[in-house]
Structures are given as C-alpha cells and as structure tokens.
Amino acid sequence: MSTDSLTENPSRSAREETRAPGAAGLRNGPDTRDEIFVGGVWTRGSGALIESVNPATAEVFATLHAATAADVDAAVAAGLEAVKASGWARRLPHERAAVLHRISSAIEANADRIAELQTLDTGKSLVETKALAMSAAATFRFTAAALETMEDALTPPRGNYLSMSTYEPIGVVGAITPWNSPIASDAQKVAPALAAGNAVVVKPPVWAPWVSLLLARLCEQAGLPAGLLSVLPGPGRVVGDAVAKHPDVGKISFTGGTSTGRQLAHIAAEKIMPITLELGGKSPTVIFADADVDQAVAGVLYGIFSSSGQSCIAGSRVFIQRAVYDDVVERLVKGAKSLRIGPGTDPATQVGPLVAFAHRDTVAGMVEAAKSAGAQVLCGGAVPTESRLQGGAFYEPTILAGVSNSDAICQQEIFGPVAVILPFDDEADLIAQANDSVFGLACGIWTADYRRAWRLARAIAAGTVWINTYKQFSISTPFSGLKESGLGTEKGRDGIRSYMRQKSIYMDLSGAPIPWAGL
Ligand code: NAD
C-alpha cells in the first residue's frame, strides 16, 4: 500500500488504541519516565499525552508527554552550541571514536533491558529485540572503526598546487525513525551522524518512543557531551515537520513510509538540504524449479512472517515457477500454519502481535478488500480465535493466491504477515512481473543455477538482493532503496560521509603570482 494509511495522525496515535476493559494500570518505571531529552536536559514534554500500549495485552504500560515545536527549537539551539562548546567537530577521529566505543559497550551491557522494553512497546519477540539491540551495539562499534580509518584525498593536480578533497560535519542533523525496529534504526543514524562531528535531533515514532529515550540515557552515561543528542518523541506532523523545516537543521535522515518521505523531500527541496530516505517496499522473492525447496520454503517463511511482516524488506510477493507451484505452495501453507503465534515474551513465539490494534485493523482491512476482489485465502486471513490470543493485536500468518501482480494487494505495502503467491513461467515473465512495482527495496532469488541468480540479481530493480538466503544484514554492507523505496545510502564504510559536506581545497606551491594579472 502506499504507506499513507500507516502514517501517523492524531486519529491513529497510540492514544486511541483499543484497550481491554480495566487494563489501565499505569506503571511508568525507571525506563519509562515521563521525560524527553532536549539538548542534554531531561524534562517533561509540553505536548499531548501519549499512552503506550503493550500490543500483546492491550495494557497501557506508560504515558509520555510529547515534545513540541518549541522543544525542537531548543534542541537545535543546544545542538549548535554543543558542537562549538564541546569542540566535538574538531575532536580528532580517534577521540570521537572512543566515545562511540563506550556507547557500544553500554548498549551491549544493557541489551536485555533494551530488548524487554522494545518487546513491551512493539510486541516483537525477545529473540528479535535482543538481536536488534546487539546490532545497534555493533553499529556503534563498526562506525567507530570506520571513523578512525577514514581518509581525505589528495587529488591529482593540474598545476603547481596541492588539491584536496576533504569532508566536514554539517552541524545539526535530524533523524526521523519508524516504529518497526527502533533501536537499530536509531543507531544507524545516530552513530554515523555523531561520528561525522554533528549534533543529532532524533524524532522517534509515537508507537515506540521508549528505546530511543533509553539510548539517550546510555549515550549520556557513556560521556557523550551534553546537547549533542536530543530525543523528541511526538506526532510526526508536529515534531518531525518542525525538525525538517528548522533553518539550522542541515540534513534529514528519514526511515519510514514513502508518502511521508515524499513530504519530507519537498521540505528538503525548499531548503536545498540533503536528505536520505529509506522507504517502503513490496519485495519479490522468487522460487525457481531447481531451488532447494527446504531452503527456499524456510527462507520465504522467515522473509515474510518474521517480525509479523512489519519489515520494510519483507518478501511479500512470492513468485513460484509453474512447474513446482503446487508442491511449493502446499509446503508454504503447511509451514505458515505451523508457526507459533504468541506474545513476544514467550520464547516459543515466532509471530508476535502487530505493533498496534489500529495497525492490525488496517492489515485486516486490506486482506478483506483483497478477498472481495477475488483473492483466495490459502491460510490465515483472520484474527486468531484462540482464547490465549484474545487480548492482543494478533493476526494470522496469511497466504493469498488467485491474484494478479497488478492487483492492489500485490502493489501496496501491507506491513503485516501477508504474502501473495504468483506463478511465473520463465525468466522474462518473472523479471517483467517483479519489476512491475513502484518499489525497489529488496529481492530474494532461490535457485541452484548461480549464473541465473547473477543475471536476475542484475535485472531486478532492488537495492538489496539475497541469493538463496533472505533478510541477512551486515552493517559493513551499504543499504538503499531504488525507485520509491528510497534515496541515498546508509551503512557501510562510507555511511559516515552522508552526514558530511565535501569540500575541495587548492593550495599554491609555486609562490608566484598568477600570470594573468601581469604583475
Ligand atoms: P511513517 O512514515 O508513518 O513514520 C515514520 C516516522 O516519520 C515517524 O517517526 C513519524 O512520526 C514521522 N512522521 C510522520 N509524518 C510526518 C511528517 N509529516 N513530517 C515529519 N515526520 C513525520 O512510517 P511508519 O509507519 O512509522 O513505519 C513504517 C514504514 O517505514 C513502512 O513503509 C516501512 O517500509 C518503512 N521502513 C523502511 C525502512 C527502510 O530501511 N527502507 C526500514 C523500516 C521501515
């Protein structure tokens, strides 16, 4: 879908979640204090009250006063001041790297605490949230190493001068993040932005603000100079918009829906400001007749149903070569039916609740619309009826068939545990269907023929291609989306560069006047 319907607005904020009767026991704890982090100061936000709901139980577990546009002004001013006062931008790379290493260690030491908080807030399984916390620690550590090894360039001169290409910090950058993998998306922006010598204002999502605030506490404890990091939860249209439009914010790094990304790109165009966009997807995952079926089925199930499908790179369009279609579909359906649905706190859970009841209802609505348009439900397609799952925002792993790639259900991002199955005949047919999408984020190819895999990896428009695997990530490998899936690149050794400005310097070596003046 266009991600419009996922875009936050007051009518769909956490405040209006459906709650189980009598489940209103508030219990703001040490990691859910009603405080936002503005320019190095913990303070109660003066914006609207956000109620955080555990999607596995419908219980309100904390409340938080949101930030306002005035907080954005204060955070940006503090960021500018902190960059100057702390000398952060001028600190030598190994000195900034030392702080990033300490932040990494602090995240690692608190990984269980972060994971529990994120599971409470998003419903994701503890296995996943622990992995996300560890990946955030690894991001800070990798970025510190990359920072220490970054080089400026002496470029080939065409005269008697030195010519150099150097990189400088931008100043204050804004990081606007989605709810699906909070700590990891925070780290992917905060680590390189700080490494580059900037201050960062983070705008976390209303549906999952808590781990971003905890990350700020850990950065503070690790000795990050005050003011370099602010964390301002609140509605995107208020706080995110104010961050993007602020005249002293020199770059926006955004991860979220395509429709929000497009709005931010307009703001960036007005300000002539760099922007990085990591947006939505509707990624094809392709099973050829020669594929190792066990490997392919396991990979496809993981690719779409892990994180309950709430993943930008979810392999949500499954193309199966006609010769093996019936057999593979049968195995996928059997596999999907056997997945264990449950709360993220249960170690046996494979499919947790969706992040919010409103989001679950959106996903259910899209499946209903597809059914009305003629889609055949091979499994799932409903809210589970088991009594143990009644309190949460659960949705069954769903496989739909009998659809055409041009149907809405095959073109729109669902961001839930819903796969569509499509047959194909040959490579040409497959490439045409796979590329018939506004998105270009990821692709999975399952085949024993590596020459074919290589051809397809080049022919399919996707920022990341997995061959006989799926959803594997290394922080050292760049990540980007093509078409409406994004603009610019994150991660990788050069990820820090995207938070810097390039400058060229020419320095005379001759000592002689330029002849033109005739002196
Ligand atoms: P979203 O676009 O609704 O919100 C993302 C962030 O933007 C939130 O912090 C939100 O408050 C803020 N925001 C919303 N409207 C805004 C506005 N007008 N101005 C400024 N900020 C605004 O997305 P979401 O529902 O939080 O996340 C799901 C989407 O994120 C999916 O489309 C998914 O594919 C995408 N995503 C992409 C990647 C990637 O790397 N490509 C990774 C994760 C998620």
Side-chain angles (χ1 to χ4, degrees), residues 3 6-8 176-180 203-205 234 236-237 240-241 254-257 260 263-264 278-281 312 413 415 441 479:
T3 46
L6 294 181
T7 302
E8 269 171 13
I176 304 179
T177 56
W179 44 262
N180 64 320
K203 208 306 280 175
R237 284 176 197 184
D241 185 74
F254 171 77
T255 300
T260 314
Q263 290 175 47
L264 291 167
E278 301 288 3
L279 308 176
C312 55
E413 185 182 43
F415 224 58
L441 194 55
F479 183 76

Side-chain angles (χ1 to χ4, degrees), residues 187-446:
Q188 260 173 47
K189 298 183 191 309
V190 173
L194 290 176
N198 302 293
V200 198
V201 177
V202 178
K203 208 306 280 175
V206 165
W207 276 346
W210 295 108
V211 291
S212 306
L213 291 163
L214 179 51
L215 175 64
R217 289 189 193 278
L218 297 176
C219 289
E220 199 182 19
Q221 284 162 23
L224 184 72
L228 287 180
L229 176 65
S230 289
V231 178
L232 307 181
R237 284 176 197 184
V238 179
V239 184
D241 185 74
V243 172
K245 287 182 177 159
H246 197 291
D248 290 329
V249 169
K251 168 176 177 142
I252 289 293
S253 177
F254 171 77
T255 300
T258 294
S259 136
T260 314
R262 191 174 274 116
Q263 290 175 47
L264 291 167
H266 280 289
I267 296 171
E270 281 299 321
K271 287 174 66 180
I272 320 282
M273 166 179 74
I275 185 164
T276 302
L277 300 172
E278 301 288 3
L279 308 176
K282 188 76 183 179
S283 299
T285 180
V286 183
I287 303 174
F288 279 89
D290 65 354
D292 177 325
V293 178
D294 287 341
Q295 202 186 21
V297 167
V300 168
L301 291 172
Y302 176 67
I304 178 62
F305 296 127
S306 59
S307 304
S308 303
Q310 301 166 119
S311 168
C312 55
I313 36 94
S316 49
R317 283 187 298 154
V318 184
F319 292 96
I320 304 172
Q321 198 160 24
R322 221 175 279 278
V324 290
Y325 183 86
D326 290 340
D327 177 42
V328 173
V329 169
E330 191 185 320
R331 295 191 54 183
L332 282 173
V333 169
K334 190 170 165 217
K337 282 181 173 168
S338 69
L339 293 172
R340 165 101 180 156
I341 308 174
T345 46
D346 180 347
T349 290
Q350 290 161 295
V351 180
L354 275 68
V355 70
F357 289 85
H359 181 50
R360 193 266 307 271
D361 295 346
T362 302
V363 169
M366 294 177 86
V367 172
E368 287 310 311
K371 283 194 226 169
S372 305
Q376 186 191 352
V377 179
L378 301 185
C379 64
V383 169
T385 50
E386 284 173 66
S387 58
R388 72 184 176 90
L389 301 175
Q390 288 317 296
F394 296 98
Y395 196 75
E396 289 178 345
T398 298
I399 297 182
L400 304 175
V403 291
S404 147
N405 186 59
S406 57
D407 291 349
I409 196 75
C410 301
Q411 291 290 323
Q412 297 172 336
E413 185 182 43
I414 299 173
F415 224 58
V418 181
V420 292
I421 306 270
L422 296 146
F424 72 93
D425 293 309
D426 53 30
E427 273 183 45
D429 173 29
L430 180 268
I431 291 167
Q433 291 196 68
N435 283 342
D436 181 14
S437 167
V438 295
F439 297 112
L441 194 55
C443 170
I445 299 166
W446 305 89

Side-chain angles (χ1 to χ4, degrees), residues 83-134:
V83 170
K84 276 193 228 141
S86 68
W88 183 249
R90 288 188 312 279
R91 280 197 202 178
L92 294 171
H94 72 279
E95 294 168 339
R96 291 202 297 268
V99 178
L100 299 188
H101 277 297
R102 290 203 298 274
I103 296 173
S104 172
S105 300
I107 295 172
E108 228 161 47
N110 288 278
D112 287 330
R113 178 179 167 201
I114 294 168
E116 279 162 24
L117 189 59
Q118 190 166 331
T119 291
L120 186 65
D121 212 6
T122 64
K124 282 184 167 229
S125 77
L126 277 172
V127 176
E128 283 185 41
T129 52
K130 178 80 183 280
L132 288 169
M134 295 308 285

